[in-house]
Every structure is written in structure tokens, then in C-alpha cells.
Amino acid sequence: MKTAGRNDPCPCLSGKKHKHCCLAGGGGAPAPQADALHRMGLWALEAGDAATALDHLTRATLARPRFPEAHYHLGLLHMQQGLLDQAAVHYRQAIAIAPGFLQAHANLGVVFNRQGQPLRALDCFLQALSIHEAVEVKIGVAECLQRLPLQTSQRHLRPVLARAIAEAWRRPEELARAASALILCEPHLQGAIAQEGPMAVQALAPWCEDRLLLALLESATVCDVVLERCLTRARAALLAEALAPVAPEEGLWALRGALARQCFINEYAWVRSGPETGQLAQLQARINATLDTGGLPQAHELLALASYRPLHTLAHADALSARPWPEALRAVMRQQIDGVREEERLRERLPRLTAIGENTSCRVRRQYEENPYPRWTRPSLFPAPLSLDDRLRGQVPQARFQPLGERRSIDILVAGCGTGRHSTETANHYRGAQVLAIDLSARSLAYAMRQARALGLARIEYAQADLLQLGAIERRFDLIESVGVLHHLAEPEAGWRALLPLLRPGGLMLVGLYSELARAPVVAARRFIAERGFPATADGIRDARAALMACDGPEALQRLTTFGDFFGLSACRDLLFHEQEHRTTLPDIQALLRRLGLDFVGLHVEPTVRQRFRARFPDEGAAHDLGLWHRYETEHPETFVGMYQFWVQKRA
């Protein structure tokens, strides 16, 4: 949250005068002495002089007890120092005086989030949202929804969760599990879950009124085994309907379109039965025959087909796309034909920065040419961009690093950008960011370029390159981000050594590496797959997923479905069939940083993890001790289930 400064007439998030601003909420005009003390406190706060700021702001509240802005800035000061309980006291006092003080509500939510209390944080953010729908408030709501174990008693949150997914207040896939939990509570799905065998099309009518279900299907991969099975049966029912000699059921257009878009997002990862395979062949033959004779298939036939294979594979796809269609089908064609064609055009113009060398790079490139990863539909909302120093302090409280200071521009390298989600977020997070994003895979880069064009992002330069060959370029960077890349090299340390010369003295790196402990379910699944001989093909991945979901085996295999990547085809290949994967431990990382001469800045972890770690190891400086973090992870092996993400700094 930004600081309300001398030129900010209202300390609300928009920075404008509103009827809901703090001064309209009962604070009144402060006495001259209190006003002067408050101004001096703000100057000290902005100068980083915490002791002076505390003195002036405290005296301002004594001079005028009903002074909400002074209490707010005391809360901000305590929050910056990690004194969250004291911060909460002052934010509450500001709200008690000025109930419409938007930023006090929002920052109180931030405090509760950092304390690992997402339910209390959500109450604060929802109150703030009712005052003003600021971007930072929407992001706060979404972060709380992601962390909450939602249950039937919280059905009242469905509308706001549906909005958060549809409008991407946070990455939609990060809200998918919360959505699934609430969707499965609904009576119209409870019956479908219990049902065995074919599903009647008429039973699907209530699904079309479920805005949360439709938002999830259109925006993110469904990451729940029970809901996936339920939707798979619904897809089969709509396929059978498309072949039936009767008029299609009215009122199901939204569901037909949403299912087709979902299946394209997950790249047709859902299993299909033998009868479905035969029906699909019949439908494909019927559509092809109609097109070959100059006719037009019916819209519901095309939507049924699009739920099993992408429409761009049809011989007459481009001609079809140019015709007028119902909006449900038009949206699917934009996704499955127009978007694919744009990526093909962009791929032809893709610049190549280096040669692609070394055997592992070639095999990894082939994997991502066949299966670009990750598939994403839209970027999340972006808060106001920050300086690199400020963003690092926000991600890693009490981070230990030499500040880079304010700069008009910051040169950033994203080494291994994949399909561009990470580079898109990076370009928006940092003030003055100029981003070079590279990857091995031309197809992944084309996907990234299409998304960047749609967003109007001109600050990202995409190029095909092998990070091991980057020594040939003369550019240097203030920040290098390589998250989820180095562990796919034959020798990860060689990747580090290739990147470090590109980093300016004093520059920072954000790195993500797989945890040996957290990936135990993945290792068990890879062994299971190897023993049964599932190939890394679309059919092989579908069969492996079906076998794993049906497996009543070791706990490690049962925990596999907690990985969101299990539920999409390219994502599952990245998770379980990767050409090259290394895992590591925190002591190994510590030894590596010593060899490379890098300073450890801090781990980026969830607030709840940080709070539990602090309770376990309360000594000052414990958060910077990787040995203690290793002990913590040994006690809680799921801590870094995504990967270790940590910051390091090159010595000046």
C-alpha cells in the first residue's frame, strides 16, 4: 500500500477526494500543532527515520486524539517494522474515528494476512471493497479467498469469488481450488456427483445459472478430481446430444461454450471412454462431410467437437471463423482458431538471440514446442508498480540487501519465460521496467507475444535463446529472474555461472528451484509411470492421469492431486514426464551460494508459513538461516510444494 504523502489530498487508494475519505468520516480538521507534527512525521517516515517518525506521529495523536491520518501512519510505520499487533491497534483506531477510511481497512487486512489470519483479513478487504473498488483491495480479497479452506457455510462468498476469477483479481488458477470447493457444495452438482453412468442433458440446465462454475471453466484449469469426473460425464452427455436426431436442448449454450473453452485450456487432458471415442469419430465425419459439400454444421455440433479437439484442426477452420455464430461459439473460435493463427504468424517473425546448443537444451526445447507451458488465459490485476527495493521488501520482510535506490529505468532479464505469464507480471511490478524475456521454445514465445500484444505491453522484448549461450550478448541487467528453469538443465550450476556475468555489480536475482522433500509425490508418480510404461504423448499422459486418479496406493501418490499441474496436459507433462529434472535442498543451496560468491537476501514464502516459522524459531535473524529453514521443512515437507523461491545479490 502506498504512503499518503504531502501531495496526496486523501489517504485512500485512489489518491482522490471521495465522500468516503477519512476526513469525511468524522476526523475533522486537525489542530495546527497536530497538523504540523503529522507533516514532520510523514517527512521522517519517507526519509526512513523511524524513530523520529514515531515520535512526531505519537505526539500528533496526543495533541489531537481523533486524528485518523496520524493513527493510520503510525500503523504503517509499525507494519514496516514488522510490529503487526501494534499496527493493527492504530489501524483500528483510525477506522473507529473515520469508518470510511479505505486504506486503513485495507492495511488492516494486510496485517491479518501477514499474521496468517485470512478470514479476518477477508472481512477487512470486503469492507474496503464496499467503500471503493480499488485494485489493491480486489487483489487483497483474492489473496484471502485463495488461502481460505472454503466450506458450505461460506456460500455467500460465491459472487465475489466468481468476480475474482472472471476479472482475474489474482491468477485465476490460484483460485480454482477455492471455486471447486464451493461449486461442489451446490445441490445441482451433488446429484451429479452421486450419479453413475450416463448423464441426462436435461440435468445440466441448472449448471448454466452457476456463474462461479462458468467463470472457472472459462478462465482456469479445473483442479479437483471429483469435479473433473462430473464435468467429464457432462461433456459425454453433450456429445451424445450432438449426434441425436432431435433439436438441441435450449438454454445450454453457456455451458457448451464454457466446457469447450475449459477443455482447450487443459488441452483435452480428461479421459474419454470407448463409446465416446466412437461417437467423436462419427461427429467428426459428419462435420467434415457437411463442410466438404459447402454446408455449415450446427453450432451445438461444433461446440461438442471443440470439447474433444481444437477447432483449428478442421480443414475449413478459417472459413468457419469468418461466419456469424452465436456468441458462445464465437468465443470458442476466438480461442481455438483466431488465437492459434495469430501465434503461428508471430512465430514466423520471432527474433533469435543465440544459437540453441547442448543436448539437454534440445530435448527440453522439443518438449516445450510440443507442449507449451503454462497455459494461461489472462493476467491478474497489477498493483501500482514499485521500485525494485520496495517490492523486494514487500516480498521478503526484513530482507538483507544493499538497496539499488530509485532509478528511472531498470533492466530485467527473465531467463526462461515460457509462455510469458511471469514476464508479463514482472514488466508490471517494477517501476521503469525494461524486460528482455528469453526461452528455448519458439511456440511458447509466440504464445507469450500474443498475450503481450493483447495487453499492449511494449516494455517486453521476446527472443529465442539458450541461457547457456547468453555470454555472447553485451547487455547487462539490474535484475535477473529465473524461476523454474535452472533445475531443467543438465548441470544447473552451469546455468548460474552463465547468468552471473550478465548481472551488474549489486544486482539481484530471483531464483526458483525444486525441493527434494516437497517433490516426493512427484518422484513416486514418475516411478509409477516408468514401471507401467506410459509414454510422454497426449494419450499416454491421459492414461497415466486416469491410472493415478484410480490408484489406491501409497500416500505420496494420493497427494499428487494437490499439485495443480496434474490437471492439464502440458502441465502434467512438465510435472511428471519432464525430459530433465533436478531437485535440491536448502543446505545444498547454501553451499552453492558460497561457491558462487552470492549473498543470500531471503526466501519468498506465504505469510502463514513465515508466521509458523517465526513461532518455531523466534530468534532475531532466524529467517535468514537456511539451516533453520531446512529443519522447518523437514518437519513440514509440504512447505515448498511449488518450489523454493529466493533472492540473492551479487556483491558490488
Side-chain angles (χ1 to χ4, degrees):
M1 301 293 175
K2 70 175 185 176
T3 302
R6 297 183 299 276
N7 298 319
D8 197 348
C10 174
C12 72
L13 295 174
S14 67
K16 300 176 181 178
K17 283 285 188 182
H18 294 288
K19 65 181 180 180
H20 57 259
C21 79
C22 66
L23 297 181
Q33 181 187 9
D35 187 37
L37 288 166
H38 179 243
R39 283 199 305 272
M40 289 188 289
L42 283 186
W43 294 336
L45 184 62
E46 292 173 356
D49 186 349
T52 302
L54 178 62
D55 177 61
H56 287 317
L57 292 172
T58 301
R59 289 167 61 197
T61 61
L62 293 174
R64 182 177 175 80
R66 291 181 58 79
F67 194 168
E69 290 180 272
H71 282 294
Y72 166 77
H73 285 109
L74 277 169
L76 189 65
L77 173 62
H78 288 308
M79 190 165 69
Q80 290 175 349
Q81 295 176 316
L83 304 174
L84 300 182
D85 289 338
Q86 294 93 318
V89 168
H90 286 288
Y91 288 140
R92 287 197 188 96
Q93 287 177 304
I95 292 167
I97 300 165
F101 197 156
L102 172 68
Q103 196 159 344
H105 285 287
N107 277 19
L108 184 58
V110 172
V111 166
F112 286 139
N113 245 344
R114 292 185 181 178
Q115 290 179 324
Q117 302 182 68
L119 189 58
R120 295 183 72 182
L122 180 61
D123 288 340
C124 296
F125 283 118
L126 289 176
Q127 181 62 42
L129 192 70
S130 70
I131 297 169
H132 180 60
E133 293 198 354
V135 167
E136 288 88 345
V137 172
K138 291 179 179 179
I139 293 171
V141 170
E143 287 178 347
C144 295
L145 291 171
Q146 177 194 356
R147 292 169 181 148
L148 280 172
L150 297 180
Q151 301 169 350
T152 306
S153 61
Q154 293 161 317
R155 290 180 68 249
H156 64 284
L157 296 175
R158 293 178 108 258
V160 70
L161 181 54
R163 278 195 67 193
I165 292 174
E167 299 171 18
W169 294 359
R170 195 166 170 87
R171 289 180 179 178
E173 59 269 27
E174 293 177 345
L175 298 169
R177 291 195 184 278
S180 296
L182 288 186
I183 289 167
L184 291 171
C185 295
E186 291 303 305
H188 61 261
L189 274 164
Q190 289 291 338
I193 293 166
Q195 180 178 320
E196 296 292 338
M199 181 181 293
V201 170
Q202 294 81 359
L204 300 177
W207 296 24
C208 293
E209 304 302 319
D210 192 329
R211 302 310 307 169
L212 179 58
L213 173 63
L214 296 178
L216 174 62
L217 293 178
E218 294 171 357
S219 304
T221 300
V222 170
C223 296
D224 183 273
V225 171
V226 174
L227 184 55
E228 177 181 320
R229 288 172 175 159
C230 193
L231 293 166
T232 300
R233 291 204 304 273
R235 180 181 68 165
L238 293 172
L239 173 62
E241 179 205 43
L243 288 168
V246 294
E249 187 76 20
E250 292 297 327
L252 296 183
W253 292 107
L255 179 62
R256 291 189 186 98
L259 266 176
R261 291 166 70 178
Q262 168 62 206
C263 292
F264 185 82
I265 292 169
N266 69 45
E267 295 173 281
Y268 307 96
W270 296 349
V271 68
R272 55 177 180 251
S273 65
E276 279 178 275
T277 301
Q279 290 173 326
L280 181 61
Q282 292 179 48
L283 180 62
Q284 176 92 54
R286 177 194 291 182
I287 289 173
N288 286 339
T290 302
L291 291 170
D292 289 343
T293 58
L296 281 179
Q298 295 189 55
H300 76 290
E301 294 175 331
L302 288 170
L303 287 171
L305 179 66
S307 297
Y308 287 88
R309 60 185 52 161
L311 293 181
H312 72 82
T313 59
L314 287 171
H316 303 276
D318 296 316
L320 274 176
S321 180
R323 297 294 189 97
W325 294 101
E327 179 51 32
L329 178 53
R330 182 64 254 168
V332 171
M333 288 183 167
R334 285 194 295 268
Q335 177 198 55
Q336 299 189 9
I337 301 175
D338 300 348
V340 172
R341 297 293 185 247
E342 183 180 357
E343 288 172 29
E344 291 170 352
R345 291 189 293 271
L346 290 169
R347 186 174 178 180
E348 293 175 358
R349 303 197 299 270
L350 179 66
R352 173 177 279 199
L353 196 60
T354 74
I356 309 296
E358 196 259 322
N359 185 45
T360 298
S361 292
C362 290
R363 289 188 290 112
V364 171
R365 177 179 60 164
R366 182 174 64 248
Q367 172 179 330
Y368 289 121
E369 292 292 356
E370 295 169 356
N371 293 101
Y373 168 83
R375 309 289 296 192
W376 56 290
T377 57
R378 59 177 67 88
S380 57
L381 289 181
F382 302 116
L386 300 173
S387 69
L388 175 54
D389 294 346
D390 287 342
R391 178 155 180 80
L392 177 49
R393 292 188 187 101
Q395 281 202 355
V396 185
Q398 301 175 329
R400 293 178 178 175
F401 69 106
Q402 292 298 316
L404 273 67
E406 285 291 337
R407 303 186 178 193
R408 294 185 62 184
S409 66
I410 174 173
D411 295 315
I412 302 174
L413 170 65
V414 178
C417 66
T419 53
R421 182 177 62 188
H422 183 95
S423 49
T424 296
E425 293 173 349
T426 296
N428 283 278
H429 283 153
Y430 299 102
R431 195 159 51 240
Q434 299 294 324
V435 179
L436 170 63
I438 64 153
D439 201 83
L440 291 168
S441 165
R443 191 172 168 205
S444 296
L445 286 163
Y447 190 106
M449 292 168 70
R450 176 175 65 82
Q451 295 281 45
R453 283 165 60 106
L455 294 167
L457 283 176
R459 292 170 292 148
I460 307 178
E461 174 190 350
Y462 286 104
Q464 189 177 23
D466 186 338
L467 70 83
L468 293 173
Q469 310 294 321
L470 283 174
I473 70 172
E474 297 181 356
R475 296 168 67 170
R476 296 296 179 264
F477 302 92
D478 304 298
L479 169 64
I480 295 177
E481 297 190 348
S482 188
V483 177
V485 177
L486 296 173
H487 48 225
H488 292 316
L489 299 176
E491 297 180 21
E493 187 169 340
W496 280 86
R497 294 191 182 279
L499 292 175
L500 284 179
L502 305 176
L503 190 63
R504 292 182 176 128
L508 291 151
M509 287 185 70
L510 173 63
V511 179
L513 299 173
Y514 287 147
S515 160
E516 185 71 62
L517 290 170
R519 299 279 285 186
V522 175
V523 174
R526 289 172 73 98
R527 190 181 306 117
F528 177 93
I529 287 166
E531 289 170 355
R532 286 156 181 77
F534 294 113
T537 62
D539 286 338
I541 295 169
R542 275 191 285 265
D543 291 342
R545 290 187 69 252
L548 287 163
M549 285 192 288
C551 178
D552 188 20
E555 181 186 353
L557 287 180
Q558 295 174 11
R559 283 170 32 215
L560 186 67
T561 55
T562 62
F563 289 77
D565 281 350
F566 178 76
F567 294 89
L569 199 76
S570 288
C572 190
R573 183 173 180 182
D574 187 86
L575 180 71
L576 302 180
F577 293 82
H578 206 287
E579 293 285 346
Q580 180 75 57
E581 175 178 308
H582 294 275
R583 296 168 298 278
T584 190
T585 66
L586 290 169
D588 288 341
I589 291 173
Q590 188 172 43
L592 175 63
L593 297 183
R594 288 197 194 102
R595 290 197 300 274
L596 297 173
L598 292 168
D599 292 329
F600 177 68
V601 173
L603 281 164
H604 177 36
V605 296
E606 283 288 304
T608 51
V609 172
R610 191 180 303 116
Q611 286 295 114
R612 291 169 187 162
F613 177 87
R614 187 175 298 165
R616 177 71 174 84
F617 301 105
D619 293 346
E620 186 176 353
H624 296 90
D625 188 330
L626 288 177
L628 294 180
W629 274 107
H630 178 63
R631 286 174 57 187
Y632 181 87
E633 186 186 11
T634 302
E635 296 166 4
H636 306 279
E638 75 290 346
T639 300
F640 299 99
V641 70
M643 64 183 76
Y644 302 120
Q645 289 196 49
F646 57 96
W647 291 81
V648 297
Q649 186 167 36
K650 185 176 182 179
R651 292 165 191 165

